[in-house]
Amino acid sequence: MSAPHASSTPGDALPGLPGLPGLPDLVGIGFGPANLALAIAIREHNGRRAPGEALRASFIERQDDFGWHQGMLLEGATMQVSFLKDLVTMRNPGSPFSFLHYLQDRDRLADFINQKSFFPTRLEFHDYFRWCAAPFRGLVDYATEAVEVRPAGPDGVAEELDVITRPASGTGPLRATRTRNLVLGTGLRPRVPAGISTGPHIWHNRDLLHRAPELTARPHRRFVVVGAGQSAAETADHLHRTFPDAEVCAVFTRYGYSPADDSPFANRIFDPAAVDEFFRAPEEVKQQLIGYHTNTNYAVVDGDLIEHLYRTVYQEKVAGAERLRILNATALTGAEELPDGARAVVRSLTTGETLALDCDAVVLATGYRPTEPAELLGDLAGECLTDGQGRLRVGRDHRVETTDRVRAGIYVQGAATEHTHGITASLLSTLAVRSGEICDSLLLHVAEREVRAALATSGAAVTDGVPAHRG
């Protein structure tokens, strides 16, 4: 496929795959960056094969259109991974779906180079994702929710799977789509502290840009931000800049924000080769590696942002008007809605002192948790093999190990495979390579299925052609 020209649109430059008859080889649930990367890998495979050898794929997405963390596309916020870790480059540097081809299409290639930066803004990378997703619109059922997966096949053997869906609005008929393979790419769900209920003035930071502008009446002139990671620090900074008349209280149990380790040697934990090494390692070594390198990803903050926030606190002390308050070594013990806002109750871990903070909003920048595959798989979950800790057994090709009663493939992308594939499971770093691995696995199992069918056909022909023995 040739590179798109500056005057083209993604749909013009990257034409869609013609509709193919027959049962889908793959249905993907979720169409975020992970399954988008897989769709591209399949598209590129099909472009090198005859139509009869193409993989047939479709996808289901709850959102009305492609979107990636849109509530946190803060002005000026940059990616924390290199643009070279886009959806394709680590697998196929010549792909027309690369970030560089996107820049060429947008007529910004020279401008981006002149920035001398490997890290585009989050807003620009989101636009890149949407540019990549545009040619696949015909393969994605947007505004559609998957509610269940059922086995399909004779004699209790699931040769195929039925994916049951309904409109994301919750109203409308159920629909079944049969497939030979399933890929779960359902992403992450917001983690809310135990005992806390969200509401009009208590919400997760993923909704920051959607909810904050709605606060037109702010009688308390205060926000409470809970959390110590990158998103928490960015949220506190954004609210501090956006509402110059308001106090922002950053609440976290650590003594201070911890810097992210993005040094070159530590970053090797995100290399494709590190996934191979992690997968082969004994369980105790896996746990050690995750423990050693949590500071590359979890509850850590970019060093420049930490310094900016510290300077802000110091300068406000000098000026005698402290609007950014750091409540460190402090835990959120409760939060409730008020008629005109919310009340956060916090407790100092060092003194035990409790403080009630009436505010216009409590923003929970408390991270995410993986979507459990069992929630969708229903009865099929009982056919999925687990390890001694009740976690899914997942092969190196990201295919879930199952009993012999399930011959259809179930693949998992995302944080649910961190225990088998390492820290990169929920990150962008290895999406390109992973998509190629899943595509190769699909092709291998298609070939195996064809061999089984051919053997069954030839066996039946021999049986039909040879008289039964009478003895």
Side-chain angles (χ1 to χ4, degrees):
M1 299 174 68
S2 60
H5 298 290
S7 61
S8 67
T9 66
D12 295 333
L14 306 168
L17 182 70
L20 295 172
L23 195 68
D25 294 295
L26 164 71
V27 168
I29 299 179
F31 199 64
N35 272 345
L36 173 55
L38 178 58
I40 294 171
I42 292 173
R43 174 74 59 89
E44 294 182 347
H45 160 79
N46 290 345
R48 299 188 297 268
R49 297 294 186 269
E53 299 174 344
L55 289 172
R56 294 172 287 270
S58 64
F59 299 88
I60 297 161
E61 171 54 47
R62 181 183 302 165
Q63 296 184 101
D64 295 338
D65 201 349
F66 186 92
W68 177 69
H69 296 300
Q70 295 182 86
M72 283 296 290
L73 298 178
L74 305 179
E75 181 181 358
T78 58
M79 298 293 294
Q80 293 176 283
V81 297
S82 165
F83 72 86
L84 293 172
K85 293 184 176 181
D86 58 19
L87 298 175
V88 294
T89 297
M90 296 285 284
R91 174 182 56 81
N92 177 14
S95 170
F97 287 89
S98 72
F99 183 73
L100 291 179
H101 277 106
Y102 156 80
L103 289 174
Q104 182 188 44
D105 185 72
R106 292 290 198 250
D107 197 24
R108 290 202 305 268
L109 182 56
D111 295 333
F112 182 85
I113 292 172
N114 289 338
Q115 288 189 126
K116 300 180 181 179
S117 173
F118 275 84
F119 305 102
T121 64
R122 200 174 296 154
L123 187 66
E124 183 174 32
F125 222 64
H126 178 263
D127 189 57
Y128 158 67
F129 285 152
R130 288 179 60 86
W131 178 83
C132 288
F136 297 95
R137 175 164 290 278
L139 300 181
V140 184
D141 286 333
Y142 285 107
T144 301
E145 181 180 16
V147 295
E148 187 183 359
V149 179
R150 300 172 183 168
D155 303 323
V157 176
E159 293 277 1
E160 298 156 359
L161 303 172
D162 284 336
V163 181
I164 311 302
T165 61
R166 67 184 175 196
S169 62
T171 60
L174 295 177
R175 175 187 171 193
T177 301
R178 185 157 294 183
T179 179
R180 296 188 178 101
N181 297 279
L182 177 74
V183 177
L184 299 175
T186 48
L188 300 167
R189 292 185 177 179
R191 179 182 286 113
V192 175
I196 305 297
S197 298
T198 57
H201 301 93
I202 303 173
W203 26 267
H204 195 271
N205 72 279
R206 73 164 184 173
D207 297 321
L208 177 62
L209 292 183
H210 306 312
R211 303 294 291 272
E214 297 175 353
L215 299 174
T216 53
R218 294 183 293 104
H220 302 287
R221 298 294 190 268
R222 175 188 287 149
F223 294 94
V224 173
V225 180
V226 182
Q230 180 73 20
S231 293
E234 289 179 350
T235 297
D237 179 55
H238 174 78
L239 292 172
H240 185 269
R241 288 186 288 106
T242 305
F243 299 98
D245 62 340
E247 176 184 274
V248 178
C249 299
V251 176
F252 47 84
T253 55
R254 299 186 177 206
Y255 206 81
Y257 292 114
S258 298
D261 184 356
D262 60 352
S263 58
F265 288 110
N267 274 343
R268 285 182 170 177
I269 196 70
F270 303 123
D271 290 353
V275 178
D276 291 323
E277 295 166 355
F278 187 92
F279 186 83
R280 294 192 298 263
E283 179 59 29
E284 61 272 17
V285 175
K286 286 186 170 76
Q287 293 304 315
Q288 288 173 354
L289 289 173
I290 289 177
Y292 292 152
H293 296 288
T294 53
N295 63 345
T296 61
N297 182 55
Y298 295 112
V300 290
V301 182
D302 177 75
D304 290 342
L305 180 56
I306 292 175
E307 292 183 6
H308 165 71
L309 292 175
Y310 189 88
R311 283 195 301 270
T312 299
V313 170
Y314 181 77
Q315 289 166 4
E316 288 183 348
K317 279 188 175 182
V318 172
E322 298 179 41
R323 286 199 307 114
L324 181 58
R325 296 176 59 193
I326 306 298
L327 304 182
N328 57 355
T330 300
L332 178 74
T333 60
E336 61 177 323
E337 288 280 344
L338 299 176
D340 59 352
R343 174 172 295 152
V345 180
V346 301
R347 179 176 59 85
S348 169
L349 299 181
T350 56
T351 67
E353 180 184 0
T354 297
L355 178 65
L357 298 169
D358 289 355
C359 55
D360 300 306
V362 177
V363 186
L364 303 171
T366 45
Y368 295 83
R369 61 178 178 85
T371 302
E372 289 297 330
E375 295 177 14
L376 273 177
L377 294 178
D379 292 341
L380 278 169
E383 304 295 334
C384 297
L385 304 182
T386 57
D387 62 15
Q389 300 182 46
R391 303 171 301 187
L392 285 177
R393 284 168 50 180
V394 183
R396 179 61 186 85
D397 61 353
H398 309 277
R399 180 172 169 140
V400 177
E401 297 180 16
T402 63
T403 66
D404 292 339
R405 290 186 293 274
V406 179
R407 293 180 183 170
I410 302 173
Y411 295 82
V412 177
Q413 298 212 64
T417 64
E418 184 177 278
H419 64 288
T420 55
H421 290 71
I423 289 177
T424 60
S426 62
L427 307 178
L428 300 178
S429 297
T430 57
L431 282 191
V433 174
R434 185 202 304 166
S435 64
E437 292 168 348
I438 295 176
C439 185
D440 289 344
S441 179
L442 289 168
L443 293 169
L444 176 62
H445 288 283
V446 166
E448 290 178 351
R449 185 174 63 246
E450 291 173 350
V451 169
R452 287 199 306 268
L455 290 175
T457 301
S458 62
V462 170
T463 302
D464 292 341
V466 176
H469 175 70
R470 298 178 186 274

